[in-house]
Amino acid sequence: MHAMYGSARRIATSARSFPYGQSISTPSTASASDQDAAALGRFFYRNRKVNEWANHPAHRTTLRQLILFGRSARRNKTLLMQSANYLRTELTIRVAHRLRDMQTIPFVAMSNEQLDSIYQFYWRTFETLRRMSKIETDEQNKHLIHVVTQLLSERKSKLDLTASICRECIHYMEPETVDLFLARMLRSQISREVLAKQHIALSHMQVVPESSKTPQVVGMIDTQIRVAYSVAQSFKFAKESLAQTYGWDVDDERMPSLEILGDTTIAYLPAHLEFIVQELLKVSMQGTMNLHQKASHTPPIKIRIVDSGSKDDVIIRISDRGGGLKCVHSGNLSDVYNQGSNVIRARGPSLLPGANTVKPWSAKEDTLLWSFHNLGKELERMNIQLDARATLDRTHISADGAETPDPSSSYPGGDGLMRLSVLNMDSRSGLPIVRLYSELFGGKLDFRTLDGYGTDIYLRLPKDGTNKELHE
């Protein structure tokens, strides 16, 4: 039951034996010294400390492990300290992996000021976490939560990373490799935030009265989510978001209605489920509204919720009559990829794990829909200025999602990637992010489209929670 935390303790013990960690005290802030940052450019590829941590594999968890351990840890102080040390060690390892990934990017791209700033943020994060001593007291745990909250509140490494990588690397790397790199980086961010928020929520649950606790809620996870209710909530949020985008009233008749058939329960993260369904509904609703804007009647969005034949999965089918799921950016992307024909792109870079297994990029719509380049172009077009200020709300999931002491709070909220839902942008550009959330614990997202008529989107999520998180 607690195997992942036992592994964390073994790694933590070996990590403390590293010679560079014996005499360094825990920093009081979430940033390393200015001298460390200044030396970064000179020692970009010389990082013995990063390599020592990156050689440890990430210890992937499952939803069932988080639930079983969380049920005990929310009442047991010893187990809570184990959770704190697992978080401290695992975040250090995973950040080291991402540093090593960033070092595979051509140096000419990483020398860009914006990307260099992101790299320095990751480096300071790594330095802060690796220097922390073993968590044994409540005060040390509070300090860990304070540090992790600051790290989660830093948006620069989220949407900004996507826009910068797409802009800088397209001339030096193959498009499919850029997508692979961003998928690894962003999926790791999502998984790190799940682990961090789970521990923060468990810590909060130890100090609240038993009468205020919801038995079915374990940290960030609700073990008895009514899928139909969650879908209805997502539809409400989607209507509010689109009403703001179009400047309409939330009850405007031009917005399609919703028909829900079927229901079931699932153990999952409510904020993730509602975010995924909301973004998919926005895609269907926008397509339907655009196609039928001059019609007297707007066709409804139909959702069917069923258990799979093996009863192991939940399938949510979203059907619309929005004319088909076309990618409007295909021509523009082809132009971008064909620019600078005298530039030789790196088919790898070969040091990036998995780069040699990805399929060559094509201009097909099913490829473009899942490409991060559409998202990067949208972010650049909108010239988004990412606010570094964290908005912390200790009673609800905040706008930044840095701290989540109330795990039952409904979306909107979440981390910086979830902020896509409140941006005035074409919903289809956010599909790559939605797919990452869908696949995190073994889910799957796919679609069938009929040009001129509509689209069926299929979201499959595991019910038993035994799938390990998808993380490199």
Side-chain angles (χ1 to χ4, degrees):
M1 181 186 301
H2 309 314
M4 63 177 178
Y5 293 94
S7 300
R9 289 198 300 272
R10 290 193 294 272
I11 294 178
T13 301
S14 64
R16 291 195 302 275
S17 66
F18 291 162
Y20 57 80
Q22 292 177 349
S23 59
I24 300 177
S25 60
T26 303
S28 58
T29 67
S31 298
S33 67
D34 293 337
Q35 289 80 5
D36 289 339
L40 188 60
R42 297 194 301 273
F43 299 102
F44 187 80
Y45 294 111
R46 297 172 59 184
N47 39 65
R48 176 177 57 86
K49 302 169 187 177
V50 170
N51 287 333
E52 287 177 345
W53 281 90
N55 286 334
H56 291 292
H59 287 77
R60 299 180 295 154
T61 63
T62 67
L63 284 175
R64 178 171 290 184
Q65 285 177 315
L66 293 175
I67 292 170
L68 293 176
F69 186 87
R71 281 175 173 161
S72 301
R74 63 183 178 182
R75 297 186 299 268
N76 187 308
K77 182 185 251 186
T78 300
L79 291 180
L80 185 66
M81 295 302 109
Q82 291 182 21
S83 174
N85 284 298
Y86 169 77
L87 175 65
R88 173 183 61 89
T89 306
E90 194 65 16
L91 290 186
T92 310
I93 293 172
R94 297 188 185 202
V95 170
H97 288 175
R98 304 289 70 80
L99 281 169
R100 196 155 64 177
D101 274 4
M102 294 185 78
Q103 291 165 5
T104 67
I105 294 179
F107 190 83
V108 64
M110 281 302 300
S111 61
N112 170 271
E113 182 179 356
Q114 198 171 35
L115 287 178
D116 180 64
S117 175
I118 295 172
Y119 184 86
Q120 290 188 29
F121 168 70
Y122 270 80
W123 184 278
R124 290 193 298 269
T125 299
F126 170 75
E127 285 292 286
T128 299
L129 292 171
R130 79 169 182 87
R131 297 182 187 210
M132 296 188 71
S133 56
K134 182 179 179 181
I135 311 298
E136 297 178 326
T137 66
D138 288 336
E139 287 302 315
Q140 289 177 311
N141 185 45
K142 289 179 181 178
H143 175 65
L144 172 68
I145 291 175
H146 173 72
V147 170
V148 169
T149 298
Q150 287 183 312
L151 299 178
L152 294 182
S153 302
E154 173 60 60
R155 297 182 192 162
K156 181 175 288 293
S157 63
K158 297 181 175 70
L159 296 182
D160 208 8
L161 172 71
T162 305
S164 302
I165 290 294
C166 290
R167 180 186 66 246
E168 296 297 327
C169 294
I170 190 61
H171 300 294
Y172 308 105
M173 296 165 58
E174 292 290 346
E176 61 270 19
T177 309
V178 176
D179 276 331
L180 173 65
F181 171 81
L182 279 171
R184 289 170 62 90
M185 293 289 292
L186 298 177
R187 186 182 294 118
S188 178
Q189 286 183 353
I190 297 171
S191 67
R192 294 196 308 267
E193 286 171 350
V194 168
L195 296 180
K197 292 175 183 179
Q198 178 73 359
H199 175 72
I200 292 171
L202 292 177
S203 299
H204 177 76
M205 285 183 168
Q206 281 211 343
V207 300
V208 300
E210 285 292 331
S211 58
S212 301
K213 297 178 182 178
T214 306
Q216 69 187 50
V217 175
V218 182
M220 285 287 293
I221 305 167
D222 188 337
T223 60
Q224 293 292 322
I225 297 178
R226 302 296 303 184
V227 177
Y229 173 80
S230 183
V231 167
Q233 285 290 98
S234 301
F235 180 67
K236 173 186 172 184
F237 300 143
K239 286 183 64 176
E240 293 173 352
S241 177
L242 290 177
Q244 184 177 7
T245 298
Y246 286 87
W248 294 354
D249 184 81
V250 71
D251 296 319
D252 195 297
E253 293 184 355
R254 288 172 290 184
M255 288 192 183
S257 59
L258 180 68
E259 296 179 6
I260 303 177
L261 299 174
D263 194 12
T264 188
T265 59
I266 187 174
Y268 210 72
L269 296 97
H272 282 208
L273 177 59
E274 290 171 7
F275 166 73
I276 295 168
V277 176
Q278 174 190 340
E279 292 304 301
L280 296 179
L281 281 172
K282 284 173 59 180
V283 172
S284 292
M285 293 170 70
Q286 276 192 319
T288 303
M289 290 157 57
N290 292 338
L291 184 64
H292 299 274
Q293 55 184 325
K294 296 182 180 180
S296 59
H297 173 69
T298 303
I301 307 297
K302 297 182 179 181
I303 292 188
R304 181 76 180 183
I305 303 168
V306 297
D307 288 325
S308 66
S310 62
K311 303 293 184 179
D312 295 330
D313 299 325
V314 172
I315 301 174
I316 303 174
R317 186 187 69 186
I318 303 175
S319 302
D320 66 64
R321 291 175 56 186
L325 198 58
K326 293 183 178 179
C327 184
V328 298
H329 301 292
S330 57
N332 294 335
L333 280 175
S334 297
D335 293 341
V336 171
Y337 293 150
N338 292 327
Q339 287 177 0
S341 57
N342 59 330
V343 176
I344 300 177
R345 296 191 181 98
R347 172 69 178 108
S350 59
L351 294 177
L352 180 66
N356 295 326
T357 64
V358 296
K359 297 179 180 178
W361 178 86
S362 69
K364 294 181 179 179
E365 289 179 359
D366 57 349
T367 299
L368 292 168
L369 282 168
W370 306 122
S371 172
F372 290 96
H373 294 282
N374 283 331
L375 176 57
K377 287 172 66 66
E378 281 283 292
L379 296 176
E380 287 295 327
R381 179 183 64 81
M382 297 171 63
N383 192 25
I384 293 175
Q385 301 297 320
L386 299 179
D387 182 10
R389 178 179 59 85
T391 304
L392 300 183
D393 183 341
R394 291 185 173 273
T395 58
H396 298 85
I397 294 181
S398 67
D400 296 313
E403 192 165 4
T404 56
D406 182 2
S408 62
S409 296
S410 292
Y411 186 78
D415 57 43
L417 300 179
M418 287 185 179
R419 286 185 66 242
L420 286 171
S421 66
V422 300
L423 299 177
N424 184 17
M425 65 187 298
D426 186 277
S427 294
R428 285 169 292 187
S429 297
L431 283 175
I433 297 293
V434 177
R435 194 180 202 179
L436 291 183
Y437 279 91
S438 305
E439 295 175 344
L440 183 61
F441 285 103
K444 186 177 181 181
L445 181 61
D446 204 353
F447 69 92
R448 299 290 182 272
T449 187
L450 182 62
D451 288 346
Y453 183 78
T455 302
D456 287 342
I457 303 176
Y458 296 89
L459 172 64
R460 182 186 294 266
L461 298 174
K463 287 192 71 172
D464 56 11
T466 57
N467 297 70
K468 286 189 176 182
E469 56 179 317
L470 185 60
H471 182 276
E472 297 87 354

